[in-house]
Amino acid sequence: MMLSTNTKQKTLGLLVAGLTDRAVATRLGVSERTVQRYVRALMEGAQCRNRMQLGRHAALTGLPVSEPVPAPSGRTPDREGRQLLKALLDDACEEALRSLHMSRRSLERRIKDLMTMAGAQSRVELGWRATLWGWV
């Protein structure tokens, strides 16, 4: 699917802002399924395999944002949290489960904790913020 530059920027900007696919669809005036196609096209174009990688790609390519997002003062992930972020950004979730001795449920809980720490509403936003702030 070929997306216009404007559609790419709007979609990625809304995802980085933490909106769900449904909310992005409402903002863009398209269906949720169309947004999922947009996300897949964005991921393919950026050679990303998951949404966190898409967030990192947005940060590394300098996605324009309306306001800078300051890192939470004094709060950074511990060693295990950084390992987990790195594994997720490297698309090595199964390896993370083994090396960190976590169940899938514990992994999901830890991701939610990292999202809370970062003030992120989505994995795309978490990948973007973690990259901007040098957490990974």
Side-chain angles (χ1 to χ4, degrees):
M1 168 181 261
M2 287 294 295
L3 298 176
S4 71
T5 302
N6 190 36
T7 300
K8 286 179 190 177
Q9 286 184 331
K10 282 183 181 177
T11 303
L12 194 51
L14 293 170
L15 290 168
V16 164
L19 274 67
T20 63
D21 289 356
R22 180 173 288 162
V24 172
T26 300
R27 292 270 182 100
L28 297 178
V30 297
S31 72
E32 188 173 351
R33 181 71 182 113
T34 297
V35 169
Q36 291 166 352
R37 285 189 200 99
Y38 288 177
V39 171
R40 189 172 54 247
L42 287 167
M43 288 172 58
E44 286 172 6
Q47 298 179 341
C48 297
R49 292 173 44 186
N50 63 47
R51 287 179 179 236
M52 281 189 66
Q53 288 178 347
L54 186 59
R56 175 176 56 186
H57 172 76
L60 293 174
T61 57
L63 175 72
V65 293
S66 55
E67 299 176 21
V69 180
S73 59
R75 294 197 66 201
T76 59
D78 59 12
R79 184 174 162 271
E80 183 182 87
R82 286 179 185 268
Q83 284 179 311
L84 179 56
L85 284 168
K86 183 177 179 345
L88 292 167
L89 288 169
D90 291 342
D91 199 33
C93 205
E94 293 305 317
E95 291 171 31
L97 288 171
R98 282 192 300 276
S99 68
L100 297 171
H101 308 289
M102 287 184 168
S103 67
R104 187 156 299 280
R105 178 180 271 170
S106 294
L107 176 74
E108 290 301 324
R109 191 174 18 246
R110 189 69 166 112
I111 292 169
K112 287 184 188 213
D113 291 344
L114 288 166
M115 289 174 62
T116 299
M117 180 184 292
Q121 300 298 312
S122 69
R123 289 183 187 212
V124 176
E125 186 180 9
L126 177 60
W128 180 73
R129 287 176 182 242
T131 302
L132 279 181
W133 298 336
W135 285 4
V136 287

